[in-house]
Amino acid sequence: TESKEMSKEKSKPADGGGWRDFTAGAVAGVAQVAASHPLDTVKTRLQSQTANNARYTGGIDCLKKTIAQEGFLGLYKGMGAPIVANAFINSIVFGVYERAKDIRRKNLNLQEDQILPLRDVAIAGAGAGLICSAFSSPTELLKTQLQVQYGTAGEKAFHGPLDVARHLIRDRGLLSVYTGYTPTLIREIFGYGWFYFTYEYLRRSLTPPGQDRPSIVAMLGSGAVSGIMYWTGSYPFDVIKSRMQSHDLSHGNQIPKFLNTAREMWHKEGARAFTRGYLPCISRSIPAASATFVTYEFMKSILNP
């Protein structure tokens, strides 16, 4: 049982080195975007299309048409915002997650040779998601608005994330950059709870006796499964978020609301609307989560020799 497991693995208490968690998380965030952005573009484009206005028949079709019409770099549209923001956001996520675990350890009066129960790992992950959503929501709005621009450079309405932000704030006010915040909040809380719970469970199970971490192959596999669990547990909310954030937010158009968008999707497209783009998303999550955790563990080993 979990109480017996708690005596098997040594867990270091907080040592004032919180900056290491933030730094390792930042580098992991860059690795995550570099490994996954092309498939994220495919996912976003599939999520944002409606049944009556479908440009693509699936992930492969979207991939082929994007490259044919916009070149290979078309898959990297909107990457500027997330590669900078993900470094910041992942530093927050991992930093808050590690601090939340330290707080729970103190609350439970755990000794140095005891590990945190998995339910508290999930709570720490959900708390990290709660904080993360305040930063990830506006970043993903800017990315999404750029990703759903179809065509060549001369046909673009926006020319970068700052241009999107400038137009939105000028036309709709500062709060418009938080369009899609509610589904993002729900996604991050549920998603990160499952994400860290799964990774920590697999990490503990696959770590050889006497070692403090599993092999690189085991970490890659653990990260891949964790990424799948993150999206499987929260995917419908991500689709709603993408539909809201890909909306034409020009002055005069109504800013979409969470429940209204979900209701409209259900009535017009049925349950299938909430799984649109799932396979490209899972395909993206495997390299993204694997790169995230391997890079994070690697940076931690360097920063904590």
Side-chain angles (χ1 to χ4, degrees), residues 2 11-12 19 22 57 83 113 162 164 169 183 243 263 288:
E2 195 169 272
S11 179
K12 294 181 181 179
W19 66 270
F22 287 92
T57 59
I83 204 165
D113 62 346
L162 293 179
V164 178
I169 294 172
R243 192 65 65 86
R263 228 180 267 120

Side-chain angles (χ1 to χ4, degrees), residues 15 20 27 40 72 113 122 131 134 151 166 184 186 207 228 231 248 255 268:
D15 60 357
R20 297 182 178 91
V27 178
D40 183 69
F72 186 74
D113 62 346
I131 302 300
R166 182 173 62 83
T184 303
I186 299 171
T207 298
I228 292 171
W231 287 108
D248 183 357
I255 293 180
K268 291 185 176 181

Side-chain angles (χ1 to χ4, degrees), residues 159-280:
H159 300 285
L162 293 179
D163 190 38
V164 178
R166 182 173 62 83
H167 276 82
L168 288 177
I169 294 172
R170 183 194 65 193
D171 295 342
R172 309 308 300 264
L174 183 60
L175 290 180
S176 65
V177 299
Y178 275 92
T179 299
Y181 175 71
T182 300
T184 303
L185 173 65
I186 299 171
R187 183 198 71 187
E188 301 288 53
I189 290 174
F190 281 99
Y192 276 115
W194 277 112
F195 189 62
Y196 285 111
F197 175 93
T198 304
Y199 181 75
E200 190 63 27
Y201 172 77
L202 293 172
R203 187 185 192 279
R204 294 176 186 181
S205 301
L206 298 174
T207 298
Q211 301 294 320
D212 61 355
R213 61 174 58 87
S215 66
I216 291 180
V217 173
M219 282 192 284
L220 286 169
S222 299
V225 176
S226 301
I228 292 171
M229 291 302 296
Y230 172 99
W231 287 108
T232 301
S234 61
Y235 193 75
F237 299 104
D238 188 64
V239 179
I240 298 170
K241 185 270 307 179
S242 291
R243 192 65 65 86
M244 294 173 67
Q245 293 186 336
S246 62
H247 189 76
D248 183 357
L249 299 176
S250 303
H251 183 70
N253 291 334
Q254 185 176 5
I255 293 180
K257 303 297 183 183
F258 171 55
L259 291 179
N260 291 343
T261 300
R263 228 180 267 120
E264 182 180 6
M265 290 170 63
W266 176 265
H267 289 312
K268 291 185 176 181
E269 303 169 60
R272 187 179 180 183
F274 298 93
T275 62
R276 197 183 301 279
Y278 176 74
L279 290 179

